[in-house]
Amino acid sequence: MESIQAIKQRFGIIGNAPSLNRAIEKAIQVAPTDISVLVTGESGVGKESIPKIIHQLSHRKHNKYIAVNCGAIPEGTIDSELFGHEKGAFTGATQTRQGYFEVADGGTIFLDEVGELPLTTQVRLLRILENGEFLKVGSSKVQKTNVRIVAATNVNIFEAIDKEKFREDLYYRLSTVDIHIPPLRERQEDIHLLFRKFASDFALKYKMPTVKLTDNAVQALTKHRWSGNIRQLRNIAEQLSVLEQNRTITADTLSSYLPKSGTNLPAVIKTSKSESDFSSEREILYKVLFDMKADLNDLKKLTMELMKNGDTKDVEKDNKTLIQKIYGKNKEEETIYETPQESEVLSIAEHAVDQDEIIDVQDKYHFAEDIEEEETLSLHDKELELIKKSLERHNGKRKLAAAELGISERTLYRKIKQYDL
Ligand SMILES: Nc1ncnc2c1ncn2[C@@H]1O[C@H](COP(=O)(O)OP(=O)(O)O)[C@@H](O)[C@H]1O
Ligand SMILES: [Mg+2]
């Protein structure tokens, strides 16, 4: 059996806390069996390595390993993604499609954020766990698969069970063996170790000398609550590596990068899905605004298409992904294809639209996509980036940039001064 140290090296796992070692040991022990494993732990603690270890050390290693983020797939699509669908099962199902459970036959499926699965999908999953049987969406033919399931969840799952959003029987089926990854604040001995590793990685990446912490800064780093765990620690290491001219980081400098609230508070575990990925409420609000803006841009693009073409069936086809993105797939049949919407759309189409405007709106749509990739940047960086991009796109024309950003020209002017653009 490979030693814990060898496994850590192979999978790039840093840290020596006994609790982390125990989790890895458990993964090694359970790997050769077909037992279902539930990995638990807060967001950012490193749950994703465990199913990889289990798969690689199992007899399934030559077959497929598929990781599915259950929280990221729209409710209306998830059954078809997991179990496949028959041709004609729903509008747009032009061909029979294999789902992950069929593709991964003989291999392993990692169901990340399993607590997010809709109840109907949970029933299907339970059946697979019980006897390997499943049905494609729109089919009545029972199929068989032999897949090992490793699932992961943050502590939310108990709340979900309480609220009857997650089946208790499924929970017990999934968690035959439970591997818990403790939060970073409970493995303080690993914090500085991880920081040094990240700092040296980022120094290489950005071709700059490695940042080093003073003793006081090490203390502050170790005492911090790290509600976003290792993911958050890595972000901070990256920010310091990129932004700090003075490569010796003092406790003061460090603290300016750490979220103010909750620094030394006892560990109150808040478990909302994205909470730990965002260090402050402001940032969460910012994310909400971004998502709203992206949705709005999607809607604008769709409206433009409709105004241009009028023929809603074609528009529907060409913009399938967009429509699903905006409305969620489960709603498409009830909402998108209803006639009242068509008549509404037709009345809008009577307005004249000039070509420039259309291009402009499409640009905005791409613009919205750009934004989504930048979640790791800090708030100010995000804003700065947005303004810069917008100005570039409009050759420095403030009026157009302000309109695109949805702010007044005056506010934009103020921001330009503030960021010294
Ligand atoms: N022990 C560790 N050593 C090095 N990097 C780690 C470790 N644990 C987590 N990471 C890194 O932190 C990030 C978050 O880990 P991840 O497994 O995605 O967390 P979770 O799934 O629990 O939210 C990933 O980029 C991962 O590579
Ligand atoms: Mg994860």
Side-chain angles (χ1 to χ4, degrees), residues 42-48 69 110 112-113 152 231:
E42 290 175 25
S43 187
V45 289
K47 296 189 285 298
E48 276 163 53
N69 186 340
F110 171 45
D112 200 0
E113 295 183 36
R231 189 175 287 121

Side-chain angles (χ1 to χ4, degrees), residues 270-333:
K270 281 257 299 191
T271 55
S272 79
K273 193 170 143 209
S274 49
E275 174 263 344
S276 29
D277 287 349
F278 297 99
S279 40
S280 68
E281 277 181 1
R282 218 169 82 152
E283 202 158 352
I284 294 171
L285 284 173
Y286 218 88
K287 169 91 173 72
V288 172
L289 285 173
F290 271 118
D291 289 347
M292 264 169 63
K293 188 163 171 124
D295 278 351
L296 198 64
N297 286 335
D298 289 344
L299 279 167
K300 280 185 188 164
K301 177 170 187 279
L302 200 58
T303 313
M304 275 304 162
E305 290 275 332
L306 288 166
M307 287 159 87
K308 234 182 0 179
N309 300 322
D311 179 347
T312 48
K313 282 292 168 217
D314 277 351
V315 173
E316 226 169 63
K317 233 192 297 162
D318 295 343
N319 294 286
K320 223 176 91 215
T321 339
L322 196 61
I323 292 172
Q324 279 164 15
K325 198 169 143 211
I326 304 169
Y327 293 98
K329 190 148 181 189
N330 57 331
K331 292 211 178 118
E332 73 179 353
E333 275 122 305

Side-chain angles (χ1 to χ4, degrees), residues 11 28 94 114 119 138 186 215 282 303 317 331 350 386:
F11 291 88
I28 299 173
T94 49
V114 74
L119 279 164
E186 288 174 20
D215 289 350
R282 218 169 82 152
T303 313
K317 233 192 297 162
K331 292 211 178 118
E350 283 163 22
L386 279 180

